[in-house]
Amino acid sequence: MKGCQVLNSTLVRVTDRIAARSAALRRPYLERMARARAAGTVRAHLSCGNQAHAYAAMPADDKAALVKGSAGNLGIITAYNDMLSAHQPYESYPDLIRAAARAAGGTAQVAGGVPAMCDGVTQGQAGMELSLFSRDAIAMAAGIALSHNTFDATVYLGVCDKIVPGLVIAAAAFGHLPAIFVPAGPMASGIANDEKSKVRQLFATGQCGRDRLMEAEMAAYHGPGTCTFYGTANTNQMLMEFMGLHLPGSSFVNPHTPLRDALTVEAARRALAISALGNEYTPVCDVLDERAFVNGIVGLNATGGSTNLLIHMIAMARAAGIVLDWQDFADLSDVTPLMARVYPNGLADVNHFHAAGGLGFMIGELLEAGLLHPDTRTVAGEGLARYTREPKLIHGALVWSEGTSRSLNPKVLRPAGEPFQPTGGLKRLQGNLGTGVMKVSAVSPERHLVEAPVRVFADQEAVKQAFRAGEFTGDTVVVVRFQGPKANGMPELHSLTPMLSVLQDKGLKVALVTDGRMSGASGKVPAAIHVSPEALDGGPLARLRDGDLVRVDAVAGTIDVLTPGALERADVQPDLADNEFGAGRELFGLFRRQVSAAESGASPLFG
């Protein structure tokens, strides 16, 4: 890399705007972290009985080191389970981390486990209504684990959709502690994602049976590691590098490889080095500043990442005393080139993207273009330029060397000056139906504007029934309302994608408008999602009727009902009794009552 150019004026303007907007929250947050930092290692202030309980199950040598008070103690927060392919590799990580910590003169303990649900299992099921809320439950569970106050630094083991955002929220709450996030990597490439998608569409239209569908799905999701499309899980991994919370180049190294293990060992060593007992104290509150979040938003746009992060990043930032809004994402999208084509935005998967040069090449290009803040603090040291380097094992030793200065596959990854499109993958929509967002990176330009009569549904199953009955015969804007966080926890509606794609492929103009979410794997059908205010909270979607004319315009960034008098009607009052019980939903009534709007992070923790 030649060195960064003058910072883009929009990047500077948005960062300054965020800092000014956040000052009233950020200042007291940093003051709280400074007080916690000044208190020193809390472990030293515990009573003998407290300490005996904390160390009781540790090996004798670890106990001795901690009693002396000279050893750094790592707290491991793990989202391990073998229900998620992406998290199965974490089973062996605590042993690696403990051994690495001992070799560096420290110790490590699993402080606690956090829940981690698989959206691939719950997609279209009642359990999906707990998916978004699991993020905040994860943050709370991690907070309980760290409340023992016996740790000098933290190591977070998590990959998937709500897990990483929940862990970041917890890390921010304990912001005086250093924190390193340790990925597990993507599974090896299986069946091509576009082939899997075609089989799903064939099944939706009755042209193939369940046996063929099952065969295709199991060929796609076939082993340990993250699903290889560029959905929310892999967007999370990108974000951790752009924001400086991973070790450089570690996101997309496959599980159960020597390099993967070496990176995990180094993460443990590095976590001790950046603790207050080491020489490079780097509390995570200093990493998670306005510049880091702006860099993350740029990465989201440059890669065409998951729309879920428009909700998660707002909640993550709020935990660190920083206030983001969707206009920040939109303004940065306008100046950020789309540099990657990874499914569903293209045919490649994340393994192909990584092989083409991956995040290191992309970060170097964006630094060169003045589209990233170069002077952020990271867990690897000062400055984001460290993240242009790639890790390698040479004679058994882990080293970082210069990454590629050119894309090794221009069909997957392009330079910032020769992008797939000049602007990012996300668009904010605003109009008389509220405020929403659309992922445009995978939507063909001729489909960016849809004006058609609406069909209004109260849930996704009703849409499926109408599709099976052949009721969609003309251009249609499908409205699925009462899917917001207060109504039912804001589930993803990804199971609608195959049938809406079928209608689109028949030549119909089709769009989706909803106060719910779509999966990070969705994108080819124009979808105005996260519409706020939600229908249950006085949102205009509650006043729409079948046949109303709606215009969804991703070019102008608008979403409007054009039928005169439509917004003067009384709101439809839904019967949501079925949302209250089953699949654990009865345990989350408090979350539904307390949750903020989608544009404020959809969190019960932050109003």
Side-chain angles (χ1 to χ4, degrees):
M1 191 181 73
K2 301 175 184 176
C4 72
Q5 306 298 314
V6 175
L7 288 182
N8 179 278
S9 60
T10 298
L11 186 90
V12 173
R13 175 172 56 84
V14 171
T15 306
D16 290 346
R17 182 173 74 203
I18 293 169
R21 184 194 304 137
S22 307
L25 290 174
R26 179 70 173 170
R27 190 180 304 111
Y29 168 79
L30 290 176
E31 290 172 354
R32 292 195 302 274
M33 296 305 110
R35 288 194 296 272
R37 184 183 315 176
T41 306
V42 178
R43 184 173 62 255
H45 306 301
L46 296 177
S47 72
C48 293
N50 291 149
Q51 291 194 56
H53 277 286
Y55 313 150
M58 299 182 79
D61 288 347
D62 288 352
K63 289 181 184 179
L66 285 172
V67 168
K68 290 177 183 177
S70 59
N73 189 33
L74 299 181
I76 304 168
I77 304 294
T78 178
Y80 163 73
N81 65 44
D82 52 19
M83 184 76 198
L84 278 77
S85 61
H87 287 204
Q88 186 275 338
Y90 284 138
E91 183 174 16
S92 62
Y93 277 36
D95 285 341
L96 284 173
I97 293 168
R98 281 189 285 260
R102 290 187 191 110
T107 56
Q109 294 175 287
V110 173
V114 300
M117 67 184 293
C118 181
D119 287 358
V121 175
T122 59
Q123 197 68 244
Q125 307 297 319
M128 176 52 73
E129 296 180 18
L130 304 186
S131 174
L132 181 58
F133 290 151
S134 75
R135 177 196 66 195
D136 301 272
I138 287 162
M140 295 164 72
I144 291 169
L146 294 176
S147 69
H148 294 103
N149 280 333
T150 63
F151 308 110
D152 300 285
T154 48
V155 176
Y156 291 92
L157 310 181
V159 173
C160 286
D161 296 23
K162 272 66 54 191
I163 295 92
V164 167
L167 294 176
V168 171
I169 290 170
F174 288 80
H176 63 292
L177 295 175
I180 290 185
F181 282 66
V182 182
M187 68 177 68
S189 300
I191 184 176
N193 284 296
D194 62 326
E195 184 177 346
K196 173 193 68 180
S197 179
K198 289 175 184 175
V199 175
R200 286 178 174 177
Q201 291 187 39
L202 290 172
F203 180 77
T205 57
Q207 297 179 66
C208 78
R210 185 168 293 276
D211 288 350
R212 185 177 175 192
L213 177 65
M214 191 66 185
E215 181 183 0
E217 297 287 359
M218 294 191 72
Y221 309 116
H222 61 86
T226 317
C227 305
T228 59
F229 59 82
Y230 195 55
T232 308
N234 286 318
T235 302
N236 285 339
Q237 303 312 293
M238 172 280 300
L239 198 66
M240 293 299 94
E241 289 215 28
F242 269 77
M243 293 181 67
L245 290 170
H246 273 177
L247 292 179
S250 62
S251 292
F252 299 131
V253 176
N254 299 119
H256 304 311
T257 61
L259 180 57
R260 177 83 278 158
D261 287 349
L263 285 164
T264 300
V265 168
E266 176 61 18
R269 190 201 67 77
R270 183 64 186 166
L272 288 171
I274 63 175
S275 77
L277 298 176
N279 297 321
E280 301 177 67
Y281 178 50
T282 309
V284 76
C285 64
D286 289 353
V287 175
L288 292 173
D289 66 6
E290 296 89 346
R291 297 167 302 163
F293 279 100
V294 166
N295 285 352
I297 295 171
V298 170
L300 180 66
N301 280 296
T303 58
S306 169
T307 52
N308 280 323
L309 272 298
L310 280 98
I311 294 176
H312 295 323
M313 287 189 73
I314 290 173
M316 291 156 58
R318 179 62 180 77
I322 294 170
V323 183
L324 303 179
D325 67 30
W326 285 346
Q327 192 60 50
D328 301 327
F329 292 80
D331 289 351
L332 290 169
S333 180
D334 286 344
V335 299
T336 303
L338 180 66
M339 298 170 59
R341 286 287 192 203
V342 185
Y343 189 86
N345 308 336
L347 300 181
D349 66 24
V350 292
N351 292 311
H352 304 134
F353 168 76
H354 185 64
L359 297 177
F361 171 80
M362 180 174 279
I363 288 171
E365 286 286 309
L366 290 167
L367 283 169
E368 186 86 15
L371 285 167
L372 291 173
H373 289 285
D375 54 346
T376 53
R377 295 194 75 180
T378 79
V379 299
E382 297 290 335
L384 196 61
R386 295 174 181 273
Y387 287 75
T388 65
R389 299 169 68 83
E390 61 178 305
K392 295 180 180 178
L393 271 182
I394 299 179
H395 304 303
L398 179 64
V399 298
W400 273 265
S401 60
E402 289 298 327
T404 180
S405 60
R406 63 184 181 87
S407 170
L408 303 180
N409 187 345
K411 294 181 180 179
V412 177
L413 181 62
R414 289 187 183 174
E418 302 172 31
F420 292 101
Q421 63 186 49
T423 58
L426 300 169
K427 190 76 174 183
R428 183 183 188 227
L429 308 176
Q430 195 165 24
N432 63 19
L433 286 177
T435 301
V437 293
M438 182 185 292
K439 181 177 177 178
V440 296
S441 53
V443 179
S444 300
E446 67 273 12
R447 292 174 176 146
H448 284 189
L449 191 159
V450 177
E451 183 178 310
V454 303
R455 283 289 307 275
V456 183
F457 301 91
D459 57 60
Q460 57 186 321
E461 184 56 38
V463 181
K464 297 175 185 178
Q465 291 174 5
F467 175 82
R468 289 191 289 266
E471 295 179 13
F472 297 109
T473 57
D475 296 347
T476 308
V477 173
V478 176
V479 173
V480 188
R481 62 191 179 192
F482 303 113
Q483 303 298 304
K486 288 188 176 182
N488 65 349
M490 205 179 187
E492 291 181 348
L493 307 178
H494 179 53
S495 63
L496 297 180
T497 298
M499 60 196 66
L500 295 179
S501 298
V502 168
L503 299 177
Q504 190 170 257
D505 290 346
K506 288 181 176 179
L508 301 181
K509 287 189 174 183
V510 181
L512 175 69
V513 175
T514 181
D515 48 10
R517 296 183 294 138
M518 290 295 279
S519 166
S522 306
K524 294 184 179 180
V525 176
I529 60 177
H530 307 174
V531 175
S532 297
E534 64 175 284
L536 189 65
D537 203 27
L541 292 186
R543 291 164 219 152
L544 291 181
R545 303 291 187 273
D546 285 352
D548 286 345
L549 189 64
V550 164
R551 181 183 179 94
V552 180
D553 188 346
V555 180
T558 58
I559 173 173
D560 295 289
V561 58
L562 306 180
T563 302
L567 298 181
E568 298 170 12
R569 303 173 184 139
D571 290 358
V572 169
Q573 299 299 315
D575 179 2
L576 300 178
D578 288 345
N579 297 347
E580 297 290 329
F581 302 98
R585 287 177 290 183
E586 51 267 67
L587 303 177
F588 286 81
L590 179 63
F591 279 38
R592 287 189 292 272
R593 291 190 293 273
Q594 294 292 117
V595 69
S596 62
E599 59 184 335
S600 299
S603 174
L605 304 180
F606 311 112

